[in-house]
Amino acid sequence: MSGPDLNRAEIVALYRAHLGRGRAALAEFVSAPVEVASHGAIVETSDGRSFIDCGGYAVFLLGHCPEPVVSAVVEQVRRHPLATRLLLEPQVAEAARALVSIAPEGLDSVAFLNSGAEATELGLEIARAHGQDRLITMLGGYHGKTTGALAVTPKSEYQQRFQPLLPATAVPYGDIGALEAELVAAEGRGAVILEPIQGEGGVVIPPPGYLAAVQRLCRASDTFLIVDEIQTGLGRTGTMWAHQPEIECPDVLLVGKALSGGVVPVSAVLATAAAFRPFADDPTLHSSTFGGSPLASAAVVATVGALIAGDTAARAAELGDRMLAAVRELCAPYVGRTVRDVRGRGLLIGIEFLRPDLAAELVTDLLAHGVIVNHSLGASAVVRLTPPVVLTDDQERTVLAALDNALTALLSHV
């Protein structure tokens, strides 16, 4: 039988046999239906149900199957989806121009890749190519699970089976004194990587002035600065880039998730000309067979166009402010009983519970009410809502009603 013809039991059996028993067990635990179609904020399942997607790990900022991106990708796949890598190819040049047009001033060099973790790997390589090999990351940070990215994702549950990793020091996020001490010890060989808001770490927002202080310290100590906006960038947090205006221009900026338009996987590294020079001079230092393919590049060009045309950042700010206020109001009666905190910026909202099992139960209850959300990989007690900018008023009301019902049910089980 082909994929769409498989029933749920057959799919779970194939997961268990070939994709991992853990994935099959998780699907059974949450009674996950089979997703078969999507559009806007809606995911449709094989049993005829529709779910409002406020999850997707922040990929679907423009919603599912946004028409400008789908049209561009369909046209490209019919004409020329992959390139020889030897001849000149126009789509990747157009994609680079489009991305630089919305990038912070000074980030004029681009490398396209396929995933956020790959972007992190190249960011670390760029730093090390300049002799900046003393890696400094933040507790609670999440940058991927390939070997280099894992070294700067300081969570023992993910790292312990793969030691020894690249040496890296983790300091508390938001603690400028701890960072300064490490930069002094690095003696000009430091490379700092951080997120302007920690997404997988549980929607952790730094104190005002922290990011500006990080940049000042990095400049004063000849430290390389890598800003990871894979989850927060391109308008999700209400501004095009979450690190601005506090950080003017990092050495490297990592981009992903929403860059795909929710259609074709793609990520990118933006860098200053000085930082990127070794790779600009020798393109063999880092290469990717599929990175910057015509297909992915077409998606980037269409996505950037859609972000600009729809004033996505402003829409995310408006919708996010309203939803955050509503979520806080719904959670207020439960603070100290089941809920610890509610926080967010734009369309990145986190609900922190007193225990991880309460967060897991909320994810399951919301699914039963027709709403998809995500837990945080680096903070299992935090549930994240990352709705798309195309969420309608009716869908917003449905999400909030589902959350109200799920919170009430959750309290009754405590």
Side-chain angles (χ1 to χ4, degrees):
M1 300 176 74
S2 63
D5 297 321
L6 295 172
N7 63 41
R8 186 180 183 280
E10 291 168 327
I11 294 170
V12 171
L14 287 173
Y15 265 64
R16 184 174 291 108
H18 305 300
L19 299 172
R21 290 177 296 174
R23 293 183 68 180
L26 179 61
E28 291 185 312
F29 174 73
V30 299
S31 301
V34 179
E35 58 185 271
V36 294
S38 57
H39 54 89
I42 298 298
V43 174
E44 299 175 355
T45 57
S46 59
D47 56 4
R49 288 186 288 168
S50 294
F51 292 78
I52 300 174
D53 188 7
C54 292
Y57 293 97
V59 168
F60 302 104
L61 179 60
L62 296 176
H64 290 266
C65 299
E67 181 54 35
V69 184
V70 170
S71 294
V73 167
V74 169
E75 180 184 352
Q76 189 66 46
V77 78
R78 286 175 173 160
R79 184 175 69 246
H80 185 53
L82 296 178
T84 66
R85 316 299 302 192
L86 180 63
L87 308 181
L88 288 171
E89 195 283 304
Q91 281 292 347
V92 71
E94 288 287 355
R97 178 165 63 179
L99 185 54
V100 167
S101 75
I102 61 171
E105 186 175 353
L107 297 178
D108 297 321
S109 299
V110 186
F112 288 108
L113 302 139
N114 307 285
S115 68
E118 288 178 74
T120 300
E121 295 287 344
L122 179 54
L124 297 178
E125 285 187 359
I126 292 173
R128 291 171 71 85
H130 290 274
Q132 311 294 117
D133 57 357
R134 299 285 291 273
L135 300 179
I136 302 168
T137 187
M138 306 295 147
L139 292 172
Y142 184 95
H143 305 285
K145 292 177 182 169
T146 50
T147 305
L150 191 57
V152 291
T153 299
K155 189 172 176 64
S156 59
E157 294 93 322
Y158 299 149
Q159 291 183 335
Q160 60 188 3
R161 290 177 180 266
F162 307 106
Q163 299 285 1
L165 296 165
L166 286 174
T169 301
V171 299
Y173 189 63
D175 187 337
I176 199 67
L179 176 61
E180 184 173 16
E182 288 301 327
L183 294 183
V184 169
E187 299 179 330
R189 292 168 51 198
V192 170
I193 181 168
L194 86 167
E195 301 152 278
I197 299 172
Q198 291 187 331
E200 297 293 352
V203 191
V204 180
I205 300 172
Y210 171 70
L211 296 177
V214 169
Q215 182 166 61
R216 284 197 300 271
L217 284 178
C218 288
R219 286 181 172 175
S221 59
D222 293 324
T223 297
F224 204 86
L225 178 58
I226 304 169
V227 173
D228 181 345
E229 290 246 27
I230 290 167
Q231 183 163 167
T232 56
L234 302 174
R236 175 161 290 281
T237 61
T239 55
M240 186 62 75
W241 306 105
H243 71 270
Q244 293 184 316
E246 291 199 16
I247 293 177
E248 295 174 5
C249 180
D251 296 287
V252 163
L253 180 64
L254 310 182
V255 191
K257 294 193 184 292
L259 188 62
S260 68
V263 179
V264 176
V266 61
S267 64
V269 170
L270 284 156
T272 64
F276 199 67
R277 185 165 294 117
F279 297 82
D281 292 343
D282 184 356
T284 66
L285 280 183
H286 188 98
S287 57
S288 169
T289 300
F290 297 114
S293 70
L295 190 63
S297 297
V300 169
V301 173
T303 297
V304 171
L307 291 171
I308 296 170
D311 201 2
T312 298
R315 167 63 177 164
E318 176 191 2
L319 177 58
D321 286 350
R322 190 169 67 237
M323 288 194 71
L324 178 59
V327 171
R328 281 178 169 154
E329 183 177 352
L330 290 174
C331 290
Y334 306 100
V335 172
R337 303 161 76 187
T338 55
V339 174
R340 186 184 305 278
D341 188 27
V342 178
R343 51 188 177 263
R345 185 180 298 168
L347 292 175
L348 177 58
I349 298 170
I351 305 172
E352 183 177 4
F353 289 86
L354 296 177
R355 303 193 312 264
D357 62 299
L358 298 173
E361 188 171 341
L362 184 78
V363 171
T364 304
D365 286 350
L366 282 175
L367 194 63
H369 285 89
V371 176
I372 299 170
V373 296
N374 294 131
H375 76 291
S376 298
L377 292 176
S380 55
V382 179
V383 172
R384 275 177 304 155
L385 283 71
T386 52
V389 293
V390 296
L391 195 73
T392 67
D393 291 347
D394 284 346
Q395 289 167 344
E396 180 185 351
R397 285 190 288 268
T398 299
V399 169
L400 294 173
L403 178 60
D404 191 12
N405 290 331
L407 287 168
T408 300
L410 190 66
L411 186 63
S412 69
H413 297 165
V414 176

